[in-house]
Amino acid sequence: MQKALFVSGKRKYLFCADQNGMEIIQPVIDLAVAEKAPYEIYSEDQPLIEWLKKQKMGCYLYVASEWAKLDSLKKIAEEVGFSEEEAQYIGYGKRWAKVFCCRCHGITNVILEENQEIACSECDLLLGISDHYSTLKNAYLGYVAKL
Ligand SMILES: [Zn+2]
């Protein structure tokens, strides 16, 4: 599981998390409190985009959610203008990903795990999953695991 890292010295900290996500970022909230930094926790009584929009410059955002929802939350934050340097996204739970085969370019859906090998759903080739993510194909490159 990913961990949230506290980035100190920000003007204000914003936390957006569901129940399980809250447990992950609680240590960071504690550190923000210890630093006497202002912080705010998102509650669902307003749309996330509205809450983010009314924040001032210099805020640092933490989002913790299950992987399935994390991308859409990230999109909202980016739409409002939070860059990679101004936000951390922490996912938990099962992470579905697409892997494309280096041989037949077929796409296989998998739940990502560490050091995993999968069989291509199209040609059955045994694939390792690389860190190379193709935004074009929306998938990770699978390479030949064994000859
Ligand atoms: Zn294949």
Side-chain angles (χ1 to χ4, degrees):
M1 189 186 293
Q2 279 187 303
K3 273 189 182 156
L5 294 175
F6 183 61
V7 181
S8 68
K10 300 291 173 184
R11 185 179 289 176
K12 184 181 176 184
Y13 295 89
L14 304 172
F15 298 102
C16 170
D18 51 22
Q19 207 176 349
N20 293 323
M22 223 48 199
E23 283 176 31
I24 298 169
I25 58 173
Q26 189 61 50
V28 176
I29 298 176
D30 292 343
L31 287 167
V33 171
E35 211 172 77
K36 296 190 169 62
Y39 70 97
E40 204 173 312
I41 296 172
Y42 171 68
S43 66
E44 284 176 349
D45 54 7
Q46 59 186 326
L48 178 62
I49 191 159
E50 297 304 324
W51 182 67
L52 291 175
K53 269 183 184 166
K54 63 180 194 194
Q55 305 297 337
K56 296 194 174 72
M57 298 281 287
C59 287
Y60 194 89
L61 172 68
Y62 287 90
V63 179
S65 141
E66 52 186 319
W67 281 112
K69 290 184 192 150
L70 198 62
D71 268 351
S72 60
L73 296 172
K74 187 175 179 179
K75 270 193 196 118
I76 292 171
E78 284 173 348
E79 210 178 300
V80 176
F82 283 87
S83 68
E84 293 279 346
E85 291 77 38
E86 294 163 325
Q88 254 177 66
Y89 304 93
I90 303 107
Y92 67 83
K94 284 179 181 162
R95 184 180 192 185
W96 283 92
K98 291 178 163 61
V99 177
F100 77 92
C101 177
C102 58
R103 183 161 80 186
C104 75
H105 293 191
I107 299 281
T108 306
N109 286 304
V110 295
I111 294 171
L112 281 187
E113 288 163 26
E114 301 263 325
N115 302 322
Q116 151 192 42
E117 289 175 0
I118 61 154
C120 171
S121 60
E122 303 278 331
C123 73
D124 250 356
L125 184 67
L126 195 61
L127 298 170
I129 301 168
S130 73
D131 294 331
H132 295 284
Y133 188 79
S134 163
T135 45
L136 200 70
K137 292 183 189 292
N138 250 327
Y140 291 92
L141 172 65
Y143 56 90
V144 182
K146 286 185 190 110
L147 291 172

